[in-house]
Protein backbone atom coordinates (compact mmCIF):
# COMPACT_ATOMS: atom_id res chain seq x y z
CA UNK A 1 0.00 0.00 0.00
CA UNK A 2 1.24 3.41 -0.79
CA UNK A 3 2.35 5.33 2.29
CA UNK A 4 2.10 9.08 2.71
CA UNK A 5 5.21 9.33 4.85
CA UNK A 6 6.87 12.54 3.78
CA UNK A 7 9.08 15.19 5.24
CA UNK A 8 12.12 17.17 4.39
CA UNK A 9 14.35 14.19 5.13
CA UNK A 10 12.95 12.42 2.10
CA UNK A 11 14.39 15.01 -0.25
CA UNK A 12 17.94 15.36 1.08
CA UNK A 13 19.20 12.90 -1.52
CA UNK A 14 17.09 14.10 -4.44
CA UNK A 15 19.94 15.80 -6.24
CA UNK A 16 22.50 13.04 -5.57
CA UNK A 17 23.73 10.65 -8.25
CA UNK A 18 21.35 7.72 -8.52
CA UNK A 19 22.05 4.10 -9.29
CA UNK A 20 19.62 2.25 -11.45
CA UNK A 21 20.26 -1.03 -9.64
CA UNK A 22 17.73 -1.73 -6.93
CA UNK A 23 15.27 0.93 -8.06
CA UNK A 24 12.43 -1.57 -8.23
CA UNK A 25 11.17 -4.21 -10.56
CA UNK A 26 8.92 -3.50 -13.46
CA UNK A 27 5.76 -5.37 -14.19
CA UNK A 28 5.77 -8.23 -16.61
CA UNK A 29 4.47 -7.54 -20.08
CA UNK A 30 0.70 -7.63 -20.18
CA UNK A 31 -1.17 -8.57 -23.34
CA UNK A 32 -2.96 -5.49 -24.59
CA UNK A 33 -6.17 -5.46 -26.55
CA UNK A 34 -6.01 -3.42 -29.73
CA UNK A 35 -2.21 -3.38 -29.78
CA UNK A 36 -0.65 -2.67 -33.17
CA UNK A 37 2.79 -3.10 -34.70
CA UNK A 38 3.19 0.66 -35.01
CA UNK A 39 6.37 1.89 -33.28
CA UNK A 40 5.65 3.21 -29.81
CA UNK A 41 7.35 5.71 -27.55
CA UNK A 42 8.62 4.38 -24.23
CA UNK A 43 7.26 6.00 -21.08
CA UNK A 44 8.18 4.94 -17.56
CA UNK A 45 6.08 5.46 -14.44
CA UNK A 46 6.90 4.42 -10.87
CA UNK A 47 4.10 3.57 -8.46
CA UNK A 48 4.05 4.93 -4.93
CA UNK A 49 4.09 1.33 -3.62
CA UNK A 50 3.09 -2.12 -4.81
CA UNK A 51 0.01 -2.41 -7.07
CA UNK A 52 -3.27 -1.95 -5.24
CA UNK A 53 -6.80 -0.72 -5.94
CA UNK A 54 -5.78 2.89 -6.61
CA UNK A 55 -3.72 1.74 -9.61
CA UNK A 56 -6.58 -0.16 -11.28
CA UNK A 57 -6.99 2.53 -13.94
CA UNK A 58 -3.40 2.07 -15.14
CA UNK A 59 -3.59 -1.70 -15.49
CA UNK A 60 -7.00 -1.42 -17.11
CA UNK A 61 -5.73 1.10 -19.66
CA UNK A 62 -2.78 -1.17 -20.39
CA UNK A 63 -4.90 -4.30 -20.76
CA UNK A 64 -7.52 -2.59 -22.93
CA UNK A 65 -4.82 -1.25 -25.25
CA UNK A 66 -5.47 2.43 -24.55
CA UNK A 67 -1.76 3.24 -24.20
CA UNK A 68 -0.97 1.32 -27.37
CA UNK A 69 -3.65 3.32 -29.19
CA UNK A 70 -1.80 6.49 -28.16
CA UNK A 71 1.53 5.12 -29.38
CA UNK A 72 2.85 4.52 -25.86
CA UNK A 73 4.85 1.60 -24.54
CA UNK A 74 4.23 2.04 -20.81
CA UNK A 75 6.74 0.60 -18.34
CA UNK A 76 5.28 0.40 -14.79
CA UNK A 77 7.91 0.12 -12.07
CA UNK A 78 7.81 -0.46 -8.30
CA UNK A 79 9.85 1.59 -5.81
CA UNK A 80 12.46 0.00 -3.59
CA UNK A 81 11.79 2.73 -1.01
CA UNK A 82 8.88 5.12 -0.51
CA UNK A 83 10.89 8.17 -1.55
CA UNK A 84 12.21 6.60 -4.77
CA UNK A 85 9.50 7.77 -7.20
CA UNK A 86 9.96 11.52 -6.79
CA UNK A 87 13.72 11.13 -6.46
CA UNK A 88 13.96 9.16 -9.68
CA UNK A 89 11.67 11.54 -11.57
CA UNK A 90 13.68 14.54 -10.40
CA UNK A 91 16.86 12.89 -11.69
CA UNK A 92 15.14 12.06 -15.02
CA UNK A 93 15.68 8.33 -14.46
CA UNK A 94 11.95 7.79 -14.93
CA UNK A 95 9.32 9.95 -16.62
CA UNK A 96 6.48 9.92 -14.09
CA UNK A 97 6.08 9.31 -10.37
CA UNK A 98 3.15 8.64 -8.09
CA UNK A 99 3.68 10.88 -5.08
CA UNK A 100 1.88 13.15 -2.61
CA UNK A 101 0.80 16.75 -2.96
CA UNK A 102 2.78 18.13 0.02
CA UNK A 103 5.84 16.17 -1.15
CA UNK A 104 5.93 18.13 -4.40
CA UNK A 105 5.81 21.47 -2.57
CA UNK A 106 8.54 20.37 -0.16
CA UNK A 107 10.67 19.24 -3.10
CA UNK A 108 10.25 22.62 -4.82
CA UNK A 109 11.31 24.27 -1.58
CA UNK A 110 14.52 22.24 -1.68
CA UNK A 111 15.23 23.38 -5.23
CA UNK A 112 14.12 20.10 -6.83
CA UNK A 113 12.55 20.84 -10.26
CA UNK A 114 9.39 18.72 -10.18
CA UNK A 115 5.73 19.49 -10.74
CA UNK A 116 2.45 17.64 -10.37
CA UNK A 117 0.76 17.02 -13.72
CA UNK A 118 -2.43 15.35 -12.44
CA UNK A 119 -4.33 14.62 -9.26
CA UNK A 120 -5.17 10.92 -8.84
CA UNK A 121 -6.89 10.91 -5.44
CA UNK A 122 -8.26 14.40 -4.87
CA UNK A 123 -8.79 14.12 -1.11
CA UNK A 124 -6.90 12.65 1.87
CA UNK A 125 -6.82 8.96 2.71
CA UNK A 126 -4.55 9.39 5.73
CA UNK A 127 -6.59 9.40 8.96
CA UNK A 128 -6.11 8.97 12.69
CA UNK A 129 -7.37 5.54 13.71
CA UNK A 130 -8.54 4.67 17.21
CA UNK A 131 -10.21 1.53 18.61
CA UNK A 132 -13.97 1.63 18.24
CA UNK A 133 -14.47 1.70 22.02
CA UNK A 134 -11.70 4.25 22.63
CA UNK A 135 -12.37 7.30 24.81
CA UNK A 136 -10.68 9.36 22.08
CA UNK A 137 -13.36 11.19 20.12
CA UNK A 138 -11.57 14.32 18.93
CA UNK A 139 -7.98 15.65 18.86
CA UNK A 140 -8.21 17.26 22.29
CA UNK A 141 -8.42 13.69 23.62
CA UNK A 142 -4.92 12.95 22.28
CA UNK A 143 -3.53 14.68 25.38
CA UNK A 144 -1.79 12.12 27.57
CA UNK A 145 -2.21 9.38 24.94
CA UNK A 146 0.37 7.48 22.88
CA UNK A 147 -0.04 8.44 19.23
CA UNK A 148 1.77 6.03 16.93
CA UNK A 149 3.27 7.46 13.75
CA UNK A 150 5.81 6.37 11.11
CA UNK A 151 8.53 8.81 12.23
CA UNK A 152 7.75 11.42 9.57
CA UNK A 153 7.78 15.11 10.54
CA UNK A 154 4.63 15.91 8.57
CA UNK A 155 2.58 13.47 10.63
CA UNK A 156 3.70 15.33 13.75
CA UNK A 157 2.63 18.58 12.11
CA UNK A 158 -0.73 16.99 11.29
CA UNK A 159 -1.31 16.03 14.94
CA UNK A 160 -0.17 19.44 16.16
CA UNK A 161 -2.52 21.23 13.76
CA UNK A 162 -5.44 19.04 14.80
CA UNK A 163 -4.85 19.46 18.53
CA UNK A 164 -4.43 23.21 18.30
CA UNK A 165 -7.60 23.49 16.23
CA UNK A 166 -9.41 21.48 18.91
CA UNK A 167 -8.05 23.70 21.71
CA UNK A 168 -5.44 21.30 23.06
CA UNK A 169 -1.67 21.47 23.67
CA UNK A 170 0.35 19.32 21.25
CA UNK A 171 3.07 18.87 23.89
CA UNK A 172 0.63 16.77 25.88
CA UNK A 173 0.54 14.06 23.19
CA UNK A 174 3.04 11.22 23.45
CA UNK A 175 4.23 10.78 19.88
CA UNK A 176 5.51 7.21 19.49
CA UNK A 177 7.55 6.04 16.51
CA UNK A 178 6.08 2.75 15.26
CA UNK A 179 7.67 2.69 11.81
CA UNK A 180 5.22 1.23 9.30
CA UNK A 181 3.86 -1.32 11.78
CA UNK A 182 0.55 0.51 11.94
CA UNK A 183 -1.94 -2.36 12.07
CA UNK A 184 -0.06 -4.40 14.67
CA UNK A 185 0.76 -1.40 16.88
CA UNK A 186 -2.91 -0.51 17.26
CA UNK A 187 -4.26 -4.06 17.37
CA UNK A 188 -1.88 -5.02 20.20
CA UNK A 189 -2.61 -1.83 22.16
CA UNK A 190 1.00 -0.62 22.04
CA UNK A 191 -0.44 2.79 21.24
CA UNK A 192 -3.79 4.51 21.80
CA UNK A 193 -4.12 5.83 18.26
CA UNK A 194 -2.20 5.84 14.98
CA UNK A 195 -1.74 8.37 12.22
CA UNK A 196 -0.50 7.27 8.83
CA UNK A 197 -3.11 4.57 8.42
CA UNK A 198 -5.33 4.84 5.36
CA UNK A 199 -9.09 4.54 5.45
CA UNK A 200 -9.00 2.42 2.30
CA UNK A 201 -6.38 0.01 3.62
CA UNK A 202 -5.31 -0.16 7.28
CA UNK A 203 -8.81 0.64 8.52
CA UNK A 204 -10.21 -2.17 6.37
CA UNK A 205 -7.54 -4.62 7.50
CA UNK A 206 -8.11 -3.85 11.19
CA UNK A 207 -11.85 -4.34 10.80
CA UNK A 208 -11.26 -7.63 8.95
CA UNK A 209 -8.94 -8.85 11.70
CA UNK A 210 -11.70 -8.35 14.26
CA UNK A 211 -10.32 -5.12 15.67
CA UNK A 212 -12.92 -2.49 14.70
CA UNK A 213 -11.72 1.09 14.61
CA UNK A 214 -13.01 4.61 14.13
CA UNK A 215 -11.37 7.22 11.88
CA UNK A 216 -10.79 10.88 12.69
CA UNK A 217 -10.36 12.95 9.52
CA UNK A 218 -7.41 15.32 9.47
CA UNK A 219 -9.24 17.89 7.36
CA UNK A 220 -11.98 18.20 10.01
CA UNK A 221 -9.41 19.82 12.31
CA UNK A 222 -7.40 22.38 10.40
CA UNK A 223 -5.27 20.23 8.10
CA UNK A 224 -5.96 21.36 4.53
CA UNK A 225 -7.88 19.10 2.18
CA UNK A 226 -5.09 17.84 -0.07
CA UNK A 227 -4.71 15.38 -2.91
CA UNK A 228 -3.50 12.13 -1.38
CA UNK A 229 -1.89 11.05 -4.63
CA UNK A 230 -0.66 13.01 -7.61
CA UNK A 231 1.49 12.15 -10.60
CA UNK A 232 4.62 14.26 -10.93
CA UNK A 233 7.36 14.77 -13.48
CA UNK A 234 10.51 16.83 -13.71
CA UNK A 235 10.40 20.24 -15.34
CA UNK A 236 12.63 18.82 -18.09
CA UNK A 237 10.31 15.90 -18.80
CA UNK A 238 7.30 18.22 -18.91
CA UNK A 239 9.07 20.53 -21.37
CA UNK A 240 10.52 17.78 -23.56
CA UNK A 241 7.58 15.35 -23.61
CA UNK A 242 4.49 17.51 -23.33
CA UNK A 243 2.62 15.79 -26.14
CA UNK A 244 3.58 12.32 -24.89
CA UNK A 245 2.37 13.14 -21.38
CA UNK A 246 -0.91 14.46 -22.74
CA UNK A 247 -1.42 11.22 -24.68
CA UNK A 248 -0.53 9.23 -21.57
CA UNK A 249 -3.20 10.99 -19.55
CA UNK A 250 -5.77 10.60 -22.31
CA UNK A 251 -5.23 6.82 -22.16
CA UNK A 252 -5.11 6.75 -18.36
CA UNK A 253 -8.40 8.67 -18.19
CA UNK A 254 -10.02 6.14 -20.51
CA UNK A 255 -8.81 3.45 -18.14
CA UNK A 256 -10.41 5.23 -15.20
CA UNK A 257 -13.69 5.63 -17.10
CA UNK A 258 -13.67 1.92 -17.82
CA UNK A 259 -13.09 1.06 -14.15
CA UNK A 260 -15.97 3.33 -13.14
CA UNK A 261 -18.32 1.42 -15.41
CA UNK A 262 -16.80 -2.06 -15.07
CA UNK A 263 -15.47 -2.16 -11.53
CA UNK A 264 -15.08 -5.93 -11.19
CA UNK A 265 -13.34 -6.26 -14.53
CA UNK A 266 -10.99 -3.39 -13.74
CA UNK A 267 -10.21 -4.90 -10.36
CA UNK A 268 -9.47 -8.18 -12.12
CA UNK A 269 -6.81 -6.50 -14.26
CA UNK A 270 -5.21 -5.17 -11.09
CA UNK A 271 -5.30 -8.54 -9.30
CA UNK A 272 -3.64 -10.15 -12.31
CA UNK A 273 -0.66 -7.88 -11.65
CA UNK A 274 -0.30 -8.35 -7.89
CA UNK A 275 3.22 -8.95 -6.61
CA UNK A 276 4.19 -11.95 -4.52
CA UNK A 277 5.97 -9.56 -2.12
CA UNK A 278 2.66 -7.78 -1.57
CA UNK A 279 -0.24 -10.20 -2.03
CA UNK A 280 -3.67 -8.63 -2.31
CA UNK A 281 -6.89 -9.65 -0.58
CA UNK A 282 -9.71 -9.42 -3.10
CA UNK A 283 -12.40 -8.42 -0.60
CA UNK A 284 -10.20 -5.68 0.84
CA UNK A 285 -9.34 -4.32 -2.60
CA UNK A 286 -13.03 -4.34 -3.57
CA UNK A 287 -13.91 -2.24 -0.52
CA UNK A 288 -10.89 -0.05 -1.14
CA UNK A 289 -11.98 0.69 -4.69
CA UNK A 290 -15.47 1.60 -3.43
CA UNK A 291 -13.85 4.19 -1.14
CA UNK A 292 -11.41 5.44 -3.75
CA UNK A 293 -13.58 6.02 -6.80
CA UNK A 294 -15.62 8.92 -5.33
CA UNK A 295 -12.35 10.54 -4.19
CA UNK A 296 -10.77 10.15 -7.61
CA UNK A 297 -13.66 11.52 -9.65
CA UNK A 298 -15.71 14.62 -8.91
CA UNK A 299 -18.79 15.59 -10.83
CA UNK A 300 -18.07 18.30 -13.36
CA UNK A 301 -14.31 17.79 -13.16
CA UNK A 302 -12.23 15.65 -15.50
CA UNK A 303 -10.14 12.90 -13.96
CA UNK A 304 -6.80 14.38 -12.93
CA UNK A 305 -8.00 17.98 -12.60
CA UNK A 306 -6.02 20.06 -10.10
CA UNK A 307 -7.29 22.94 -8.01
CA UNK A 308 -5.25 26.13 -7.74
CA UNK A 309 -7.15 26.96 -4.56
CA UNK A 310 -6.26 23.60 -3.02
CA UNK A 311 -2.59 24.05 -3.93
CA UNK A 312 -2.58 27.52 -2.36
CA UNK A 313 -4.07 26.24 0.89
CA UNK A 314 -1.63 23.34 1.10
CA UNK A 315 1.42 25.51 0.41
CA UNK A 316 0.28 28.22 2.85
CA UNK A 317 -0.19 25.57 5.57
CA UNK A 318 3.26 24.12 4.88
CA UNK A 319 4.76 27.62 5.11
CA UNK A 320 2.97 28.30 8.40
CA UNK A 321 4.44 25.12 9.82
CA UNK A 322 7.91 25.79 8.42
CA UNK A 323 7.90 22.76 6.13
CA UNK A 324 8.70 24.83 3.04
CA UNK A 325 10.54 28.09 2.44
CA UNK A 326 8.53 31.34 2.30
CA UNK A 327 9.32 31.91 -1.39
CA UNK A 328 7.64 28.71 -2.63
CA UNK A 329 4.83 29.59 -5.05
CA UNK A 330 1.82 27.29 -5.44
CA UNK A 331 1.72 27.91 -9.19
CA UNK A 332 5.27 26.51 -9.50
CA UNK A 333 4.18 23.18 -7.98
CA UNK A 334 1.73 22.02 -10.64
CA UNK A 335 0.88 22.31 -14.29
CA UNK A 336 -2.02 21.38 -16.52
CA UNK A 337 -1.53 19.10 -19.48
CA UNK A 338 -2.76 20.39 -22.87
Amino acid sequence: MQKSRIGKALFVCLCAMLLLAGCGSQTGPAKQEGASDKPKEKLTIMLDWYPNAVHSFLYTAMKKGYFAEEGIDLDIQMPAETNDPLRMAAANKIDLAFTYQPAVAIARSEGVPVKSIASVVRHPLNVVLVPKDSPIHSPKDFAGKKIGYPSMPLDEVNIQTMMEKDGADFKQAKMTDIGFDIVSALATNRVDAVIGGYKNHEQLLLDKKGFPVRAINLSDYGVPDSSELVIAASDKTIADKKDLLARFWKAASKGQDYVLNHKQEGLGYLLANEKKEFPLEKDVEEKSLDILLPLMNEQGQPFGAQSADQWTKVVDWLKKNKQVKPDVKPEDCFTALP
Side-chain angles (χ1 to χ4, degrees):
M1 180 62 194
Q2 74 274 9
K3 300 294 180 185
S4 180
R5 329 296 190 215
I6 59 177
K8 291 184 179 177
L10 296 182
F11 302 99
V12 171
C13 300
L14 281 171
C15 296
M17 294 297 292
L18 297 167
L19 296 176
L20 288 175
C23 69
S25 60
Q26 70 182 57
T27 61
K31 184 179 179 182
Q32 299 183 30
E33 297 178 13
S36 70
D37 295 329
K38 186 174 71 173
K40 299 177 183 65
E41 294 181 77
K42 182 78 170 286
L43 190 70
T44 57
I45 185 167
M46 185 172 283
L47 306 184
D48 50 297
W49 198 238
Y50 289 101
N52 61 86
V54 77
H55 307 119
S56 297
F57 73 97
L58 271 187
Y59 290 102
T60 296
M62 178 174 283
K63 178 64 177 178
K64 301 302 290 184
Y66 300 150
F67 292 118
E69 289 172 3
E70 294 297 330
I72 296 172
D73 176 15
L74 186 67
D75 176 17
I76 303 177
Q77 299 184 359
M78 313 301 133
E81 299 179 0
T82 54
N83 56 325
D84 274 354
L86 198 56
R87 176 190 297 171
M88 297 289 286
N92 297 305
K93 300 295 185 182
I94 59 172
D95 297 305
L96 297 169
F98 276 80
T99 188
Y100 314 98
Q101 186 171 18
V104 175
I106 292 171
R108 296 296 305 196
S109 180
E110 296 298 318
V112 180
V114 290
K115 287 185 176 75
S116 169
I117 65 163
S119 173
V120 177
V121 182
R122 298 167 62 93
H123 302 285
L125 298 171
N126 187 12
V127 291
V128 176
L129 296 173
V130 300
K132 191 172 183 179
D133 59 357
S134 170
I136 298 174
H137 294 282
S138 74
K140 67 176 181 293
D141 299 325
F142 296 161
K145 301 294 193 297
K146 289 183 180 180
I147 312 299
Y149 77 116
S151 68
M152 291 300 171
L154 203 62
D155 279 328
E156 292 186 271
V157 174
N158 286 329
I159 294 294
Q160 181 175 356
T161 298
M162 295 174 74
M163 291 186 71
E164 290 177 352
K165 180 70 172 180
D166 205 29
D169 182 0
F170 171 65
K171 293 180 181 178
Q172 298 298 312
K174 300 174 182 177
M175 300 301 295
T176 304
D177 183 1
I178 57 172
F180 297 133
D181 195 18
I182 292 169
V183 171
S184 176
L186 194 60
T188 58
N189 298 309
R190 282 164 37 207
V191 293
D192 301 298
V194 293
I195 186 171
Y198 279 36
K199 59 186 175 185
N200 70 311
H201 188 68
E202 282 83 1
Q203 183 173 1
L204 298 177
L205 289 176
L206 283 160
D207 286 341
K208 184 176 179 178
K209 291 177 182 293
F211 193 86
V213 292
R214 289 184 283 108
I216 301 175
N217 294 320
L218 279 59
S219 56
D220 289 342
Y221 295 95
V223 179
D225 179 25
S226 63
S227 291
E228 188 65 58
L229 277 180
V230 299
I231 291 179
S234 71
D235 290 358
K236 183 178 188 308
T237 296
I238 292 169
D240 293 349
K241 301 182 178 183
K242 185 174 293 187
D243 176 67
L244 181 60
L245 297 184
R247 284 186 280 126
F248 160 78
W249 196 250
K250 179 181 177 182
S253 297
K254 286 180 69 176
Q256 178 69 355
D257 286 343
Y258 195 90
V259 173
L260 282 169
N261 293 299
H262 307 85
K263 190 178 71 173
Q264 288 300 320
E265 191 176 344
L267 192 63
Y269 298 143
L270 165 73
L271 295 172
N273 286 277
E274 70 177 324
K275 298 300 173 183
K276 63 180 181 179
E277 307 95 321
F278 194 82
L280 300 174
E281 299 180 47
K282 186 174 184 290
D283 58 336
V284 171
E285 297 307 312
E286 285 177 341
K287 292 176 182 176
S288 177
L289 195 57
D290 284 339
I291 293 169
L292 286 165
L293 290 177
L295 303 177
M296 299 172 77
N297 290 79
E298 287 193 4
Q299 192 168 6
Q301 294 289 331
F303 179 49
Q306 302 186 83
S307 163
D309 181 63
Q310 186 186 60
W311 271 103
T312 298
K313 289 177 179 177
V314 169
V315 170
D316 286 349
W317 176 73
L318 290 170
K319 288 179 181 179
K320 177 182 176 182
N321 288 282
K322 297 180 172 54
Q323 299 298 299
V324 299
K325 296 173 183 176
D327 60 350
V328 173
K329 298 178 181 178
E331 58 268 27
D332 291 338
C333 297
F334 73 105
T335 188
L337 295 174

